[in-house]
Amino acid sequence: MPFVNNVPFFSIFIAMLGGIVMPLIKNGRIALRVTEAAAAIIGVLSAWLLCAVVASGESFTYMMGHFPAPWGNELRAGPLEAMMALAFCMIMILGLEGGRRDMFDDISAHKQNSYCLMLNLLLASVLALVYTNDVFTAYVFIEINAISACGIVMARRFGNSLVAAVRYLVISCVGSGLFLMGIVLLYTCTGQLLMPGMDTAVQALAASGEYRVPLLIAVALVAVGLSIKSALFPFYGWLPNAYASATTSGSAVQAGLISKGYVILFIKLIYRVFTLEVMRDLHILQALFVMGLSGMIIASIRAYQEQSTKRMLGFSSAAQIAYIFMGIGLGTHEGMVAACYQILAHTITKPLLFTSAGMLIRSAHGSKNLHDLRGTARKNPLAGVGFTIGGLSLCGLPLLAGFAAKYYLGVAAMGDPKKMLFALLVLAGSSVLNAMYYLPAIVGIWFPADKGAAEPLAEEREDKGFILSTAVFIGLNIFLGVAIGPMIKLIELGLSLL
Amino acid sequence: MLDLQTLIDMRYQVVAVILFCIGFATLFLHPNLIKKVIGLNLMDSAVFLMLAAVGYIDGGKAPIIVDGITDASYYINPVPGGLVLTGIVVAVSTTALFLALIQRLYYMYHTLNLDEILLLAKRSEHY
């Protein structure tokens, strides 16, 4: 076995190790640095893994403790998994750097290491969701993910953060309970927990028509559980408050990582266990398609009505997640590729918006109301540029990541004559709605309500972390917007090797 | 079709599904936070009951080889037992976090009713 095959296990292990050492580090700044270093090491390892699997052109299974298939626990890695792991590590570092100041202000000094512990745990669980080959392991890490995400929300000790955290925990428990019931039913039908074994059993059941109702219920429970966890319409009620009440880096990391991990697990389950044909046969894809379409419109309308900047971004996240599920719901290979592209685009764009908004909110002396942010971009031009690029990307301006994702979603929708009309109409409508709330916000931050108030804040020293993170975010955004061809090829390779 | 005999044969599964629904409804709909925790645990216990029932083979012994008997039909299935154990650990940690959160909320708002807490929190909006 080549040494690079150990990378998936090492990645999860390093992230967990990072979490374990956090209670020993009392200083918040060092804790943050260690967290970033862990993420950086994992990122480098993932990049190495990505190069290796692309060069070899095949994915591999890693047996934990060398126990063969039915007994042991397995990880599986290919280009898609490695790419997502790399993206998540980058977002982790950039999000933390961008929101560093707010983190030290918002979280009491003796809690900062616990906050970093939660971040490490979150990264470990997301990586495990990406790499795992075993559905029960996936369930365990879904719960770990929920607990760490909840910790990140409640780290900021305002009443509202606690309320948001408890609502998030309740909805999370509902979602993971449904998912657990779903995999238990799948286990009783198939007698398998590893994805490859379950795959053959599910195909045999689908072909023979036996246990059709239990199979339908099991797949539906898994799908509903994961869509609750990833905040698909109509289950997105918890999301805006959870994102809005966390500290800046917490919001950025959440928006970039949490729901994406579940979606990738879902895509893996579709490709490796259920297959598109069975999902279509059971009418689950159609249901997801409708939920995606409704979410794209309704979450955008809610965002349009919102006055609080961070809640607006939260609703916009819900709309973007609906885009992903719309792509999955198309039920074609192109739809899946588009969904993966949308995952990447949103993972890159939304943390940029959250870190920039965090800086603008600082310039407005802590007020999150869109009105009070007027003219703040003059005080902090880089944050203004970041917010502008992020917002324009989500509106679908060409050469930016959001445009590429929407374009490819549109192309994918053409493949299905029945769904094409709805998908394209809703895509257009949702883009208009996005523009309707992002453009006024962007214009607002550049033009102050009263002239002459636009002096740059004297006490704000240059924040190198924020400058670096914003620059890299913008670079990544433009890269994803321009390099459509190679990225699509990479995603196609990854999906075909799942 | 569904008759009494099937229901009796499947009694563990039937009870598990009923318990799951009760737990789910309590967790989702009940405004009292402590009852939500109870609902969560009920829901998890229902899944564990279902798993344990799946793993049990009539007349089987605990899957530990004593007298050198290696014939699998002599023992019950050990995998669901392992899953139940893992599930219990997960349920305990979620419950612990939940209770800790509820305690903090109670100190802050002096009530356990989530609806009231939401109202109180809305008044002091600080997003």
Side-chain angles (χ1 to χ4, degrees):
Chain A
M1 185 180 78
F3 187 71
V4 69
N5 287 12
N6 289 306
V7 167
F9 170 69
F10 283 171
S11 308
I12 300 169
F13 186 71
I14 291 171
M16 290 215 149
L17 205 63
I20 290 170
V21 299
M22 279 308 140
L24 305 175
I25 305 171
K26 297 286 180 237
N27 185 327
R29 281 167 206 281
I30 301 176
L32 184 68
R33 287 282 171 239
V34 173
T35 308
E36 285 172 358
I41 295 171
I42 301 167
V44 171
L45 286 175
S46 308
W48 180 35
L49 178 68
L50 179 61
C51 295
V53 283
V54 169
S56 71
E58 53 190 28
S59 50
F60 61 88
T61 305
Y62 179 83
M63 286 185 290
M64 302 283 282
H66 299 282
F67 292 110
W71 299 283
N73 202 334
E74 287 180 354
L75 298 175
R76 191 177 164 86
L80 188 74
E81 287 97 330
M83 183 170 66
M84 290 300 171
L86 176 61
F88 290 152
C89 291
M90 287 191 332
I91 297 309
M92 188 85 185
I93 301 169
L94 295 175
L96 285 180
E97 271 302 308
R100 200 177 49 167
R101 273 202 188 172
D102 281 340
M103 175 190 145
F104 293 129
D105 288 352
D106 285 344
I107 299 169
S108 55
H110 63 287
K111 291 279 179 205
Q112 285 165 4
N113 57 350
S114 311
Y115 176 72
C116 292
L117 190 160
M118 290 300 172
L119 288 170
N120 276 301
L121 213 54
L122 181 75
L123 185 61
S125 63
V126 170
L127 289 173
L129 287 181
V130 169
Y131 283 127
T132 186
N133 202 19
D134 177 292
V135 287
F136 201 78
T137 310
Y139 162 69
V140 173
F141 280 98
I142 283 177
E143 290 283 21
I144 295 178
N145 195 319
I147 289 174
S148 52
C150 216
I152 288 174
V153 175
M154 64 196 269
R156 197 157 163 259
R157 296 190 68 175
F158 286 114
N160 277 310
S161 313
L162 293 181
V163 176
V166 84
R167 280 186 73 188
Y168 177 53
L169 192 60
V170 169
I171 300 292
S172 262
C173 287
V174 169
S176 48
L178 292 179
F179 180 80
L180 176 64
M181 197 62 177
I183 59 174
V184 167
L185 282 179
L186 272 178
Y187 176 67
T188 50
C189 296
T190 62
Q192 300 284 342
L193 284 171
L194 282 174
M195 289 187 195
M198 202 182 250
D199 167 45
T200 36
V202 167
Q203 298 322 312
L205 283 184
S208 68
E210 222 181 340
Y211 292 131
R212 198 180 152 81
V213 178
L215 187 67
L216 170 67
I217 293 176
V219 180
L221 282 175
V222 168
V224 172
L226 286 177
S227 43
I228 290 180
K229 303 286 285 185
S230 48
L232 174 63
F233 175 83
F235 313 114
Y236 65 91
W238 57 269
L239 183 142
N241 283 351
Y243 285 12
S245 56
T247 178
T248 303
S249 58
S251 313
V253 169
Q254 280 194 336
L257 262 64
I258 295 185
S259 41
K260 309 303 182 303
Y262 301 128
V263 180
I264 290 169
L265 175 68
F266 192 42
I267 291 178
K268 271 186 88 161
L269 282 173
I270 292 175
Y271 265 78
R272 307 215 47 219
V273 180
F274 306 138
T275 71
L276 284 172
E277 289 73 37
V278 174
M279 294 281 285
R280 207 177 301 135
D281 224 30
L282 295 173
H283 299 289
I284 302 228
L285 285 178
Q286 286 85 330
L288 288 177
F289 182 70
V290 173
M291 277 149 79
L293 288 186
S294 337
M296 284 160 72
I297 294 293
I298 292 170
S300 300
I301 292 175
R302 293 291 300 274
Y304 175 68
Q305 295 166 335
E306 193 55 58
Q307 288 304 311
S308 152
T309 317
K310 287 181 87 175
R311 278 172 57 91
M312 181 191 93
L313 294 178
F315 277 118
S316 153
S317 289
Q320 297 293 322
I321 285 158
Y323 279 71
I324 299 173
F325 275 91
M326 193 274 266
I328 294 175
L330 283 173
T332 55
H333 189 67
E334 287 74 29
M336 285 292 178
V337 176
C340 289
Y341 209 94
Q342 170 69 14
I343 292 176
L344 277 179
H346 186 241
T347 299
I348 298 290
T349 311
K350 200 40 75 60
L352 168 67
L353 277 165
F354 270 114
T355 51
S356 308
M359 271 298 167
L360 294 177
I361 288 167
R362 279 181 82 86
S363 307
H365 308 290
S367 169
K368 290 174 181 169
N369 203 310
L370 272 172
H371 261 291
D372 298 331
L373 291 190
R374 294 204 62 151
T376 44
R378 299 272 182 96
K379 297 182 191 168
N380 196 335
L382 186 64
V385 171
F387 194 87
T388 309
I389 300 263
L392 290 178
S393 167
L394 289 187
C395 295
L397 191 79
L399 298 183
L400 293 174
F403 168 77
K406 277 184 191 168
Y407 165 75
Y408 206 75
L409 268 173
V411 172
M414 303 276 206
D416 190 327
K418 272 189 217 152
K419 291 176 181 164
M420 181 176 83
L421 185 66
F422 298 106
L424 290 182
L425 275 181
V426 173
L427 204 58
S430 176
S431 300
V432 171
L433 279 168
N434 282 349
M436 274 166 68
Y437 59 85
Y438 273 119
L439 290 183
I442 291 169
V443 172
I445 60 169
W446 286 105
F447 293 100
D450 50 335
K451 285 191 175 107
E455 287 292 307
L457 285 183
E459 74 270 30
E460 289 281 337
R461 282 208 335 273
E462 282 193 359
D463 186 346
K464 290 205 183 88
F466 179 72
I467 296 172
L468 180 79
S469 98
T470 308
V472 178
F473 268 134
I474 293 174
L476 283 173
N477 214 318
I478 294 171
F479 170 75
L480 270 186
V482 175
I484 306 182
M487 289 305 288
I488 294 281
K489 272 208 185 99
L490 190 59
I491 293 172
E492 275 175 348
L493 177 71
L495 282 176
S496 65
L497 290 178
L498 264 186
Chain B
M1 260 333 276
L2 209 60
D3 55 31
L4 198 59
Q5 194 54 45
T6 338
L7 280 182
I8 291 172
D9 288 344
M10 305 285 286
R11 57 191 178 280
Y12 294 116
Q13 279 83 350
V14 173
V15 171
V17 169
I18 294 172
L19 273 181
F20 187 86
C21 295
I22 295 173
F24 184 81
T26 316
L27 175 62
F28 206 44
L29 301 173
H30 209 288
N32 186 311
L33 286 170
I34 296 289
K35 292 199 177 162
K36 274 190 194 293
V37 179
I38 295 173
L40 167 70
N41 279 286
L42 213 53
M43 202 166 92
D44 284 338
S45 307
V47 178
F48 303 149
L49 174 64
M50 181 116 169
L51 270 173
V54 168
Y56 186 70
I57 297 162
D58 262 341
K61 293 269 185 307
I64 304 162
I65 298 179
V66 270
D67 312 323
I69 305 169
T70 48
D71 181 11
S73 62
Y74 188 74
Y75 303 107
I76 63 164
N77 184 357
V79 177
L83 300 185
V84 170
L85 280 180
T86 319
I88 288 174
V89 174
V90 171
V92 166
S93 26
T94 324
T95 309
L97 176 71
F98 217 140
L99 289 174
L101 246 176
I102 291 171
Q103 197 188 20
R104 275 230 213 147
L105 277 172
Y106 187 73
Y107 282 141
M108 203 165 265
Y109 296 105
H110 307 291
T111 170
L112 287 172
N113 189 313
L114 187 59
D115 296 340
E116 286 175 23
I117 292 176
L118 286 175
L119 272 179
L120 288 171
K122 243 203 174 116
R123 271 184 226 155
S124 58
E125 192 95 10
H126 194 285
Y127 286 122

